[in-house]
Amino acid sequence: MEYTLDYFTGLAEDAIAGISYPTTAPGLYEPIQYTMASGGKRLRPALCMAAYAAVSRREPLEIAHQAIAVEMFHNFTLLHDDVMDNADLRRGRPTVHRRSGQNAAILSGDAMLTMAYGLLAEGAGSRFANIFEVFNHTAMEVYQGQQLDMEFESRTDVKVDEYIEMIRLKTSVLIACGCTIGAMLADAEKEVCRRLYDYGLALGLAFQLRDDWLDTFGDPAVFGKEIGGDIANNKKTWLLITALNEAPEQITPLLSNKLDREEKVSRVTEIYRSLGLDRRCDELAARYAKDAIAAIDELEMDATARAFFKSLATNAATRNH
Amino acid sequence: MEYTLDYFTGLAEDAIAGISYPTTAPGLYEPIQYTMASGGKRLRPALCMAAYAAVSRREPLEIAHQAIAVEMFHNFTLLHDDVMDNADLRRGRPTVHRRSGQNAAILSGDAMLTMAYGLLAEGAGSRFANIFEVFNHTAMEVYQGQQLDMEFESRTDVKVDEYIEMIRLKTSVLIACGCTIGAMLADAEKEVCRRLYDYGLALGLAFQLRDDWLDTFGDPAVFGKEIGGDIANNKKTWLLITALNEAPEQITPLLSNKLDREEKVSRVTEIYRSLGLDRRCDELAARYAKDAIAAIDELEMDATARAFFKSLATNAATRNH
């Protein structure tokens, strides 16, 4: 066993390929298989299995079902988010509602959520009640985060703290949930579970802030998608919310969409730079990465495991794609 | 304690009014409260609590959370079904997606499903793993039923057996789930749990077939809604599917919607009568009601409890609204 993201991602991919689906009404499951086969970073199941292995020194695949439960929940939220956003593409492929229709997307999403619960229970034995509680609480928080994100769209007075709370709920708690469930399944002490939760939480915040940064300041050649999409769509990122709070008179006139895309992106980016937001966003992501590392730095685990968790946190805040 | 539907419905209403909702992102919960307050027969939680009380001779409210979990799941499916059907009204009130928008309907529905799981766990202790398994399996079956129902819309070759299987999945298994969970929480023997499951299953089939019957042959003055809606919409009911199988040359030309509503309803009803479908649908519902009664007739319970379950089954197949 090696502590690399590729290794754990590979385990997750194999486990996903091995999921068995009921045979009644196969039309219900085809969109689920399509969604689960769509790749992505597999960060949540990878961290879940890594936490388990680091704490227990046992085989990560022993908790493959629970790791995949977290990934299936994540993919369920993406599927329904795509319906809500009326998105055409997800990871370069047509979204489920474009491909199979909106009703299939809603219903198969519902089935994914129930399948996620089923996977969570599979083989969990006496540990099920405890991991269920964390998972269920986390799921409610993710919906709360999505609700806040939707409400922010029509508000111009969102504070930076509110934004951080929204991304904590929408993105970070599920990563934290994966980490802590891995530790719980390894029968780790409460303090260890809590510290791995905090690690995932801070990692998620670093990850999301870097996402915001990359969409504006990333290198198009490395980033893999067009730069400026968030600006073009007036997406309420950390950058836009901070600019709206600090220089509303400069930024607000640019949001009306009277400018063509290129000019809008260029002028908004200029304002961001003049406010130092490129550097400050970077610093904030780095601070969360540091928090993540601090959370696990004193936990008892092999040096290779610790190095893995550390490098993942650093990478979340510095990655270029 | 009295064994009447009104009594158990009253308990369910009180329990629903007492549900506590998180305070973060209240916009997420308002549509859930609206949906849960919309009345309805409360058949599932009533049967869940009645089964518990009949088997254990204990207070039905001891399992209020689990009973409401089943009702919340049921209401979640209605909420998402209404989005899929683009329905305007539910129980005489605007549907959630008409009132709060489609995105709120999708997201709040997701949150309802997760809340249902939370309620199922609340206070269930060591019995949770077992009732969770039944509940989760049932949820998957309900989605399968909805999937089949959607697939039937574009098919003209649906067999009667397929229809019965579809309504078993879409409607009956959840009623059966409520009954058997009530028995399981009372620590009933496996055979008792199985029989109460079979009772709910047969009751649900009787109930749905009577629903089909009432929409065509009901008394408008008593039924409470317009007669003939299923015919006007070419809804694949037991009546239409049987007619399509037995007299396709007569029924098919009437489905093209070239006739005005009144004439269509009148001519299709005439064909149904000429095939004896009014009587045969009635007889089939009565047979399922009899099956339901047979399932519980030899179980050990108070005479008042037995009479309650029996009258509910009879009523399912003979009710006029």
Side-chain angles (χ1 to χ4, degrees):
Chain A
M1 210 197 87
E2 25 165 0
Y3 277 95
T4 66
L5 189 55
D6 278 352
Y7 174 73
F8 289 108
T9 299
L11 296 184
E13 291 292 353
D14 290 348
I16 287 165
I19 296 171
S20 64
Y21 294 87
T23 51
T24 311
L28 178 63
Y29 301 102
E30 195 279 333
I32 304 180
Q33 293 172 284
Y34 175 78
T35 302
M36 290 302 288
S38 72
K41 295 190 172 66
R42 309 299 191 195
L43 183 65
R44 292 155 192 81
L47 277 169
C48 185
M49 289 190 279
Y52 177 79
V55 169
S56 69
R57 292 194 178 87
R58 296 179 63 163
E59 277 303 313
L61 276 179
E62 290 173 358
I63 62 152
H65 288 125
Q66 286 71 36
I68 300 312
V70 176
E71 181 69 0
M72 192 169 278
F73 179 84
H74 175 57
N75 279 270
F76 140 73
T77 64
L78 298 180
L79 203 174
H80 275 189
D81 282 5
D82 284 343
V83 177
M84 296 187 231
D85 296 342
N86 199 19
D88 295 321
L89 293 173
R90 163 72 61 186
R91 293 168 187 155
R93 306 190 312 164
T95 50
V96 171
H97 66 108
R98 279 281 171 279
R99 189 171 165 268
S100 310
Q102 177 180 284
N103 289 357
I106 294 174
L107 185 62
S108 292
D110 295 344
M112 280 179 93
L113 176 50
T114 288
M115 278 194 80
Y117 281 103
L119 287 163
L120 193 74
E122 216 167 308
S126 62
R127 297 178 188 92
F128 177 53
N130 286 339
I131 62 171
F132 169 86
E133 198 183 329
V134 173
F135 184 86
N136 216 55
H137 182 77
T138 301
M140 288 309 297
E141 290 187 320
V142 173
Y143 309 135
Q144 291 166 359
Q146 171 69 1
Q147 174 72 21
L148 292 178
D149 198 14
M150 281 163 33
E151 290 175 7
F152 287 2
E153 278 172 34
S154 54
R155 283 178 51 191
T156 52
D157 63 345
V158 181
K159 300 287 164 230
V160 176
D161 283 356
E162 289 181 286
Y163 177 74
I164 297 293
E165 173 64 3
M166 184 277 283
I167 62 173
R168 183 184 76 82
L169 292 166
K170 187 171 174 175
T171 302
S172 297
V173 294
L174 188 61
I175 299 173
C177 170
C179 292
T180 206
I181 281 180
M184 289 168 78
L185 288 164
D187 293 328
E189 283 171 25
K190 277 216 168 114
E191 174 66 10
V192 174
C193 296
R194 192 186 64 74
R195 282 181 165 273
L196 277 158
Y197 185 91
D198 290 346
Y199 168 84
L201 209 59
L203 177 89
L205 292 172
F207 201 90
Q208 183 59 52
L209 286 165
R210 186 67 179 179
D211 234 39
D212 291 2
W213 188 94
L214 280 169
D215 200 87
T216 298
F217 301 110
D219 177 350
V222 189
F223 186 44
K225 53 182 178 179
E226 211 178 8
I227 295 295
D230 288 350
I231 292 176
N233 299 315
N234 292 340
K235 197 172 162 213
K236 295 267 166 55
T237 63
W238 183 89
L239 299 166
L240 178 52
I241 286 167
T242 308
L244 278 167
N245 276 286
E246 297 183 4
E249 71 296 337
Q250 286 180 62
I251 198 81
T252 308
L254 299 177
L255 304 181
S256 68
N257 283 320
K258 279 176 195 157
L259 303 170
D260 71 61
R261 188 188 196 278
E262 203 180 336
E263 192 183 349
K264 181 177 176 181
V265 171
S266 146
R267 289 182 56 185
V268 170
T269 303
E270 204 178 309
I271 295 172
Y272 288 170
R273 283 196 199 278
S274 73
L275 295 167
L277 300 190
D278 49 341
R279 179 186 45 78
R280 287 160 59 195
C281 184
D282 214 24
E283 285 170 0
L284 191 56
R287 206 191 77 199
Y288 284 121
K290 213 178 135 193
D291 288 350
I293 290 169
I296 54 110
D297 215 13
E298 284 166 31
L299 290 185
E300 195 187 307
M301 60 174 81
D302 291 347
T304 49
R306 192 189 316 281
F308 166 77
F309 286 111
K310 281 188 179 185
S311 77
L312 219 55
T314 304
N315 182 260
T318 56
R319 69 206 162 87
N320 290 310
H321 59 91
Chain B
M1 210 195 90
E2 25 166 0
Y3 277 96
T4 65
L5 190 55
D6 278 351
Y7 173 73
F8 289 108
T9 300
L11 296 183
E13 290 292 354
D14 290 348
I16 287 165
I19 297 171
S20 64
Y21 294 86
T23 50
T24 311
L28 178 63
Y29 301 102
E30 195 279 333
I32 304 181
Q33 292 172 284
Y34 174 78
T35 302
M36 290 302 287
S38 73
K41 295 188 172 65
R42 309 300 192 194
L43 184 63
R44 291 154 192 82
L47 277 169
C48 185
M49 289 190 279
Y52 177 78
V55 170
S56 68
R57 294 194 177 86
R58 295 179 63 163
E59 278 302 314
L61 276 179
E62 290 173 0
I63 61 151
H65 287 126
Q66 287 70 37
I68 300 312
V70 176
E71 181 69 1
M72 191 168 279
F73 179 83
H74 174 57
N75 278 270
F76 140 73
T77 64
L78 298 180
L79 202 175
H80 276 188
D81 281 5
D82 284 342
V83 178
M84 297 187 229
D85 296 343
N86 199 19
D88 295 320
L89 293 172
R90 163 71 61 185
R91 294 170 186 153
R93 305 191 311 164
T95 49
V96 171
H97 65 107
R98 280 279 172 281
R99 189 170 165 267
S100 311
Q102 178 180 283
N103 289 358
I106 294 173
L107 185 61
S108 292
D110 295 345
M112 280 179 92
L113 177 49
T114 288
M115 276 195 81
Y117 281 102
L119 287 163
L120 193 74
E122 215 167 309
S126 62
R127 297 177 189 92
F128 177 52
N130 285 339
I131 61 171
F132 169 85
E133 198 182 330
V134 173
F135 184 87
N136 215 55
H137 182 77
T138 301
M140 289 309 296
E141 290 187 320
V142 173
Y143 309 135
Q144 291 167 0
Q146 170 70 0
Q147 173 73 20
L148 292 178
D149 197 15
M150 280 163 34
E151 290 176 6
F152 287 1
E153 278 172 34
S154 55
R155 283 178 52 192
T156 53
D157 63 345
V158 180
K159 299 289 164 226
V160 176
D161 283 356
E162 288 182 285
Y163 177 75
I164 298 292
E165 174 64 3
M166 183 277 283
I167 61 173
R168 184 184 76 82
L169 293 166
K170 186 171 173 175
T171 301
S172 298
V173 295
L174 188 60
I175 299 173
C177 170
C179 293
T180 206
I181 281 180
M184 290 168 78
L185 289 164
D187 293 327
E189 284 172 24
K190 276 215 168 113
E191 175 66 10
V192 175
C193 297
R194 192 186 64 73
R195 283 182 166 273
L196 277 158
Y197 186 90
D198 289 347
Y199 168 84
L201 208 60
L203 177 88
L205 293 171
F207 200 91
Q208 183 59 51
L209 286 165
R210 186 67 180 177
D211 233 39
D212 291 3
W213 188 95
L214 280 168
D215 199 87
T216 298
F217 301 111
D219 177 350
V222 189
F223 186 44
K225 54 182 178 179
E226 211 178 8
I227 296 294
D230 288 352
I231 292 176
N233 299 315
N234 291 341
K235 197 172 162 211
K236 294 268 166 52
T237 64
W238 183 88
L239 299 166
L240 179 53
I241 287 167
T242 308
L244 278 167
N245 276 286
E246 297 184 4
E249 71 297 334
Q250 286 180 60
I251 198 80
T252 308
L254 298 178
L255 303 181
S256 69
N257 284 320
K258 279 177 193 154
L259 304 169
D260 69 60
R261 188 188 196 278
E262 202 180 335
E263 193 183 350
K264 181 178 176 180
V265 170
S266 146
R267 289 181 59 184
V268 170
T269 303
E270 203 178 308
I271 294 171
Y272 287 170
R273 285 197 198 277
S274 74
L275 295 167
L277 300 191
D278 48 342
R279 179 185 47 79
R280 287 160 61 195
C281 185
D282 216 23
E283 285 171 0
L284 191 57
R287 206 191 78 199
Y288 284 120
K290 215 177 132 191
D291 288 351
I293 290 168
I296 54 109
D297 215 13
E298 285 167 29
L299 291 185
E300 194 187 307
M301 61 174 80
D302 290 347
T304 49
R306 193 188 316 280
F308 166 78
F309 286 111
K310 282 187 179 186
S311 76
L312 219 55
T314 305
N315 181 259
T318 57
R319 69 203 162 88
N320 290 310
H321 59 90

